[in-house]
Amino acid sequence: MTAEITVDGLPIPPASAERDPEQQPRSRPRRRAMVLLLLLGLLATLVTIALWYFLFRQPITALPLPGIPTAEVPGYSTAMYGTERPMGVAVSPSGDRIYVSQSEGARVGLVLDGSGNTLATMAPPASTGTDHVPLFIAIDPLTSEVYVTDRPAGAVYIYDRDGAYERTLALAKPIVAWQPVGIAFDATGLLYIGDLSGASPTIEVFDRQANLVRRIGADNRMSFPNGVAVDAGGNVYVADSNNGRLLVFDAAGALRAQVGRGAGQGNLGLPRGVAVDDHGRVFVADNTGQGLFVFGTPQPGSRILDLIGYVGGEGAADAKFSYPNGVATDGRGRVYIADTANNRLQLWSY
């Protein structure tokens, strides 16, 4: 009879009671084979994608790479110096012409090439006793003419692509004490202008003959509608600056969505410039937020703009801002911001 071995009163089974290795589950080799097949399949997929790219230099649109975001914030590229308190900015679709207004110094607009070299100035017409402060800029998509608002003069000046003065916008029916600020075109050539005159500032929409078509935002108690932009679907984005809001109206002028003021993620301080790129991303230069907010356009039926991200921060170093104002995009994934108090234009890109 074999004595039972115990430890602390608990029996220890004899060696003969241990499980026979032949009786161990036989599923482990099968699992290893499955994992190996999965790894080989993934490797084959990656090799196929790499070969496609190197052969055709384009992505496989039906098979997007995992983990690469389709909507993200731009990255800092460079800064262009030589401006005095830049306010507004507009850029040709190709990026070969950059137009920027200056609120100090000579108070004229500048025409820059894609590298930031000055090609010409955009001076207002000669006048006596009138202060001129060029503010915001828009490019006519049908003629490539450049429109510049001048609030103190109550005028919008029109220049050709190379910066030569052509004429002053003549409204079909003049508006008393007109104070134009923000300005934008839609794809059809309708002109949108933020106007501070009257008891309630509005966005005025003009046709090609400068007839007033409609007013937007009269019931929304806007205060200094500086930035204006229109997306491909006809939605109108307005930086309601002194109310700290970004308002989104549909093509008929009904309020669709808004972003408000506050300390939460994506909330605004003093929004000024607004731009929308051809991917539907909305860029807002926040004067007191010292940076650039990036939102997505509202989805059908939604009153929310999803925050994609924020770039910037206060300072004079690269990628930092000091009271940014105007913002514009070109057709090549680049974003231009008037970094006003740093006397420079910043270029960010995707």
Side-chain angles (χ1 to χ4, degrees):
M1 179 176 178
T2 304
E4 184 179 56
I5 302 174
T6 63
V7 176
D8 294 334
L10 297 176
I12 298 177
S16 60
E18 293 180 0
R19 182 174 293 181
D20 191 337
E22 294 295 329
Q23 297 178 354
Q24 292 285 348
R26 301 185 179 184
S27 61
R28 289 181 180 175
R30 187 177 301 170
R31 288 198 194 110
R32 291 195 189 100
M34 291 178 64
V35 171
L36 182 59
L37 286 175
L38 286 174
L39 291 175
L40 289 174
L42 179 59
L43 179 61
T45 300
L46 293 175
V47 169
T48 301
I49 292 172
L51 288 174
W52 178 281
Y53 177 79
F54 285 112
L55 287 174
F56 301 103
R57 293 294 177 180
Q58 61 182 2
I60 303 175
T61 55
L63 188 61
L65 289 172
I68 299 178
T70 57
E72 57 185 8
V73 297
Y76 175 80
S77 293
T78 189
M80 303 173 183
Y81 291 85
T83 58
E84 295 189 69
R85 290 296 190 271
M87 292 289 288
V89 59
V91 188
S92 64
S94 66
D96 68 330
R97 289 290 186 278
I98 306 168
Y99 306 94
V100 56
S101 61
Q102 300 178 111
S103 60
E104 295 293 341
R107 293 185 177 179
V108 296
L110 296 178
V111 183
L112 312 177
D113 65 14
S115 300
N117 301 305
T118 301
L119 301 176
T121 60
M122 298 186 296
S127 60
T128 304
T130 301
D131 288 331
H132 292 286
V133 180
L135 294 176
F136 293 93
I137 308 175
I139 300 174
D140 188 330
L142 305 183
T143 66
S144 297
E145 292 174 313
V146 183
Y147 286 56
V148 182
T149 60
D150 187 334
R151 180 193 170 196
V156 175
Y157 303 123
I158 303 172
Y159 302 84
D160 69 13
R161 184 177 185 274
D162 297 319
Y165 171 78
E166 291 185 336
R167 64 192 184 279
T168 299
L169 180 66
L171 302 181
K173 184 178 180 180
I175 298 173
V176 177
W178 197 39
Q179 298 183 51
V181 281
I183 187 169
F185 282 93
D186 68 13
T188 68
L190 286 178
L191 178 61
Y192 297 72
I193 298 178
D195 178 18
L196 302 183
S197 66
S200 178
T202 61
I203 304 298
E204 295 157 349
V205 186
F206 299 94
D207 64 16
R208 302 298 292 179
Q209 291 72 44
N211 295 296
L212 180 63
V213 176
R214 61 183 173 274
R215 285 188 168 93
I216 295 175
D219 298 328
N220 297 101
R221 298 182 179 181
M222 294 190 295
S223 180
F224 283 83
N226 285 296
V228 183
V230 187
D231 69 16
N235 296 303
V236 184
Y237 300 79
V238 181
D240 184 14
S241 296
N242 285 15
N243 285 325
R245 302 183 297 180
L246 175 68
L247 303 179
V248 186
F249 300 91
D250 64 19
L255 184 65
R256 281 199 58 190
Q258 71 176 40
V259 177
R261 170 177 283 160
Q265 186 181 33
N267 287 350
L268 303 170
L270 189 66
R272 299 299 294 267
V274 181
V276 183
D277 71 3
D278 51 8
H279 291 279
R281 292 174 292 228
V282 183
F283 303 90
V284 181
D286 194 321
N287 201 256
T288 58
Q290 305 292 3
L292 183 74
F293 285 93
V294 186
F295 299 93
T297 52
Q299 299 300 312
S302 173
R303 298 182 65 85
I304 299 174
L305 275 74
D306 292 326
L307 175 67
I308 295 174
Y310 165 89
V311 296
E314 185 175 8
D318 289 347
K320 299 298 183 181
F321 294 95
S322 185
Y323 300 100
N325 200 78
V327 59
T329 62
D330 63 17
R332 302 176 65 183
R334 294 178 293 201
V335 186
Y336 304 74
I337 306 107
D339 187 8
T340 304
N342 282 328
N343 296 314
R344 64 188 179 186
L345 193 67
Q346 289 199 35
L347 172 60
W348 294 65
S349 59
Y350 284 94

